Amino acid sequence: MTTREAGALVMSDARFSKDIRNWGAHARGEIPADWPLLFIVEGKGLLTTDGQTHRRLRLPVQRAISPRRVQALRPRIEAVTDRLLTELAAVPAGRETDLLSGFALPLPLEVICSLLGVPEEGALREELRELSAAAMNSEASVEEVQDTVGQRFPATLLALIGQKRARGDRDDLTMDLVTAMDEGELSEAEVIGNLVVTIIGGHETTANLICHAVTGLLTHPDTLAAARKRQEAGADGDNPWSEVVEEALRWESPSRNVMFRYATEDVAIGEDVVREGEAVLVPLPAIQRCPHAFPDPSPDVFAPGRADASRHIAFGVGPHRCPGASLARLEAEIALSRLFDAFPHLRLAATPAPRVPSLGINGYQKLPVHLG
Ligand code: HEM
């Protein structure tokens, strides 16, 4: 069994539960009360439930990011991309700039905020970005996590809901969830939990996908030149950026670890056995560099169009598979094609580093570039 198959098994096999009641060490009281992640893994939401409860929580989110709604977002994504590129063009020639904070992060943040109907005016969008980053910081103390995830994030979202009710807003993901709550399908805590997962999942990961793809292309100029040439040729149905995006997802998974699952019985994985009650993380970046699953060329090589590209599992597998995959792909494709059109001489100003200190997110803190 390859490590890729092992990871897929853990994510899709019903013997691995997301329900914390199946975690032996937790049930025995062995997890220290000041473990910062406790607050997150004990939370109730999409990523901590199984079966019928999970399906009930997932349905409204899945509906809101259906392929039809995602396609309808295309003009909005293009407009935000162009606005950000225009702002970047104002950076004085020769000055180093951070492509993460100036482009890769605000793009998916704006898109997810549009999907959620977060007003453009005011500071709420920026506040949600700060709260997401704080929630994903694995170096935070237990008090900081409790303050962010337990207090400030829910309070901000409840204020948003109140504001939207007062404005009579309809037809966005927040109000879909609120309607489900008003009809008794979801509790208030479940609405908040869904919003938090969608906000964090909806922009941190996509921002890293864009950064990894840009890094891959800038460190492989021939690959970038070939993609641009194909774009210019414009052959029907040929989308070079889609291959780049798939390979970036494989080469540098935007998720560092897919969060805890607990074995409900002893499960054999190849020659190993995960014992009943044990907790398992799925380390996607390592899995997607597995030389048995991605043999040719070597998995360390960034090679868009590789024959085994579609075998990556960056969006997960099974009932929790990412419902935002098509949105993330569309955003990244639009971002790349327009970025290199606007700045054909873009180059890295330094090797991107350091990485974000997060158990869940695989990304850089900065992507320093010269726009050219
Ligand atoms: C490159 C971008 C993205 C990556 C790599 C990614 C990755 C993932 C992965 C691996 C999971 C599965 C977690 C598990 O099995 O425990 C997941 C779940 C999820 N993602 Fe994404 N995601 C991305 C973008 C998005 C976007 C754009 C949205 C929303 C608009 C989103 C919303 C969600 C939600 C709500 C879940 C929970 C699904 C469930 O538990 O049923 N993600 N994502």
Side-chain angles (χ1 to χ4, degrees), residues 11 18 46-48 54 58 61 65 112 115 173 194 197-199 201-203 205-207 209 249 253-255 258-261 284 313-317 319-325 327-329 331:
M11 289 193 280
K18 286 277 208 178
L46 271 168
L47 290 171
T48 49
H54 169 248
R58 181 174 163 112
V61 177
I65 31 184
I112 197 72
L115 199 69
L173 175 50
N194 267 3
V197 173
T198 310
I199 291 167
H203 81 278
T205 42
T206 311
L209 166 59
L249 284 162
S253 160
S255 308
V258 174
M259 284 295 178
F260 298 89
R261 282 168 167 82
L284 284 179
I313 50 174
F315 289 117
V317 183
H320 292 270
R321 185 179 185 281
C322 181
L327 177 58
R329 285 180 164 123
E331 288 178 53

Side-chain angles (χ1 to χ4, degrees), residues 283-318:
L284 284 179
I287 283 178
Q288 298 198 147
R289 296 284 182 106
C290 167
H292 301 290
F294 303 97
D296 187 24
S298 154
D300 294 335
V301 176
F302 177 73
R306 62 163 62 232
D308 45 25
S310 61
R311 307 187 67 226
H312 78 73
I313 50 174
F315 289 117
V317 183

Side-chain angles (χ1 to χ4, degrees), residues 30-45:
E30 291 166 11
I31 307 300
D34 62 352
W35 184 51
L37 289 182
L38 197 57
F39 207 71
I40 290 173
V41 297
E42 280 181 345
K44 277 277 156 272

